[in-house]
Amino acid sequence: MKFKAFLTQDGVNLLDKRFLPSLDKIGRVCHLYLTRDHAIFLHNLLGGDGIQSVAQFKKEVLFNDYRISSQNEDRIAFAIDVALLHRALRSAQTIQLQSQDDTAAIQIKLVKKLPVGSLNPAPFLTFETKGLRSAVVQDVPISKPLSRADVVQLQTALDAAQDLPQTLVQVPDLSQLQNLVERLKNVGELLMLAITQYGDLHLQVSTSLITVGSEFRKLKVLGIQADAPSGDQNLSAPTRTEMAIQRGEALSVQVSLKHLAKSLQCHLAKPDCAFYGISPQGVCLTVIFQFFIPGTRLTDKSISFHCRLPVLDTGSN
């Protein structure tokens, strides 16, 4: 089982300034899954009741001279502490800048070493900053690489996590939505969220004393969509939503406000837009972040990032 590659400068910037801060907000420990073509950061796909997240990069986005080999179709996966990974990356970058050596490069590879005070070698993801005159090595401890069976299970979970809801709506500015969710957290812990095929997003928190909600209308819709009935325009938001659910043109679920707030921390990855959707039968709430090729409105297909929030109650659907 071998892996080594050199980080590109764009890859260092993407991880350091955008994705690692975002992933750390979702959970301290994640799986790093390396294949022949992709590097993938995964949260909670092998268990746990928290947010599932998948950040996937084509290898060329992050690496040069990418080499991987294993007896499991050149697939390697292991658990890693996101904060420790980020700290090592930043340190390697600082050393690279201070070296004033144009040839300095950051190499990343899997190694086994004997930890201080131990008799058994342990696996590490090692950063080696090389220049003409010096090299500095930093080791990030990782879990034992997953077995063949566990990698197959991880790949199966990843394939299942790629399924898209039938209707997606483009949510408003993420910072605006984040401010709303922070206010709603002061009211209660559970949020009823509904999405209609007309492009409506309805958020509501209820307690025994008060109900507070907000609605965004006429949002961009991807997938199955419908025209809003003209006779519903003067009805209240909850009534319109309930009628849309009864017509089979909307779904609603109940999710944890804490989970939703955590997913909104993904704005640190600086996506260009985001879409919300509810999977059939209300299995989960899916949040998809979209990135554009710089200077265009074209989707950058070399990067993908999405979250799936567990549902506490399927509500009415």
Side-chain angles (χ1 to χ4, degrees):
M1 185 178 294
K2 297 179 180 178
F3 164 72
K4 66 178 180 178
F6 287 94
L7 282 160
T8 65
Q9 192 56 52
D10 284 345
V12 170
N13 291 335
L14 268 176
L15 293 175
D16 174 35
K17 294 182 169 55
R18 296 169 63 178
F19 280 90
L20 291 181
S22 178
L23 293 171
D24 193 26
K25 294 291 186 180
I26 297 174
R28 182 75 183 250
V29 177
C30 73
H31 280 102
L32 177 52
Y33 180 27
L34 303 166
T35 72
R36 293 168 185 160
D37 302 310
H38 294 92
I40 312 165
F41 294 87
L42 309 161
H43 277 102
N44 294 320
L45 262 70
L46 289 182
D49 57 0
I51 298 173
Q52 292 185 345
S53 77
V54 178
Q56 180 168 293
F57 306 86
K58 284 189 176 179
K59 64 181 181 182
E60 296 82 6
V61 175
L62 302 181
F63 303 109
N64 285 324
D65 196 16
Y66 183 92
R67 302 180 186 184
I68 187 170
S69 65
S70 78
Q71 295 180 349
N72 189 11
E73 300 178 3
D74 297 336
R75 299 183 297 182
I76 302 171
F78 48 85
I80 191 166
D81 185 304
V82 179
L84 292 182
L85 175 63
H86 194 188
R87 190 182 307 163
L89 177 65
R90 283 195 161 177
S91 181
Q93 187 180 25
T94 299
I95 293 166
Q96 181 189 40
L97 294 173
Q98 291 175 346
S99 70
Q100 297 181 342
D101 187 341
D102 292 339
T103 66
I106 301 174
Q107 186 182 59
I108 182 172
K109 60 184 177 180
L110 282 177
V111 300
K112 268 193 170 183
K113 292 186 176 182
L114 200 63
V116 176
S118 174
L119 299 177
N120 300 312
F124 293 89
L125 189 65
T126 289
F127 289 80
E128 186 172 348
T129 310
K130 292 183 175 180
L132 286 175
R133 296 174 295 277
S134 64
V136 179
V137 175
Q138 298 174 91
D139 297 323
V140 180
I142 63 173
S143 72
K144 180 181 177 181
L146 300 189
S147 66
R148 179 188 296 268
D150 286 340
V151 169
V152 169
Q153 184 182 355
L154 186 65
Q155 181 64 54
T156 301
L158 176 60
D159 292 341
Q162 307 288 2
D163 292 340
L164 294 178
Q166 295 177 325
T167 298
L168 292 164
V169 296
Q170 183 174 344
V171 297
D173 179 72
L174 288 179
S175 59
Q176 177 187 355
L177 193 57
Q178 190 174 23
N179 290 334
L180 171 63
V181 169
E182 288 301 320
R183 292 198 301 271
L184 292 177
K185 282 169 63 179
N186 295 323
V187 179
E189 297 179 354
L190 304 179
L191 173 81
M192 188 65 72
L193 184 147
I195 293 173
T196 74
Q197 296 174 6
Y198 324 134
D200 298 337
L201 173 65
H202 186 214
L203 310 173
Q204 181 177 299
V205 177
S206 297
T207 69
S208 58
L209 298 176
I210 189 173
T211 294
V212 179
S214 186
E215 184 184 42
F216 302 91
R217 305 190 66 187
K218 298 181 179 179
L219 303 174
K220 180 179 179 180
V221 179
L222 299 181
I224 297 176
Q225 50 191 292
D227 294 325
S230 57
D232 290 1
Q233 300 307 309
N234 295 324
L235 301 176
S236 68
T239 301
R240 278 188 284 102
T241 301
E242 184 59 35
M243 292 177 66
I245 291 171
Q246 292 174 1
R247 285 192 290 263
E249 295 174 339
L251 290 173
S252 71
V253 291
Q254 190 178 66
V255 297
S256 161
L257 263 171
K258 182 179 178 181
H259 284 162
L260 185 60
K262 189 175 287 189
S263 74
L264 287 169
Q265 293 290 333
C266 292
H267 79 279
L268 294 170
K270 300 176 184 177
D272 291 289
C273 58
F275 292 85
Y276 278 22
I278 298 172
S279 60
Q281 288 78 53
V283 174
C284 65
L285 172 66
T286 300
V287 184
I288 298 173
F289 302 98
Q290 195 173 50
F291 300 85
F292 296 149
I293 297 171
T296 76
R297 297 287 294 178
L298 301 174
T299 301
D300 187 346
K301 295 183 179 179
S302 65
I303 302 173
S304 66
F305 189 21
H306 73 272
C307 300
R308 298 188 351 150
L309 280 63
V311 167
L312 307 175
D313 179 8
T314 56
S316 304
N317 53 51

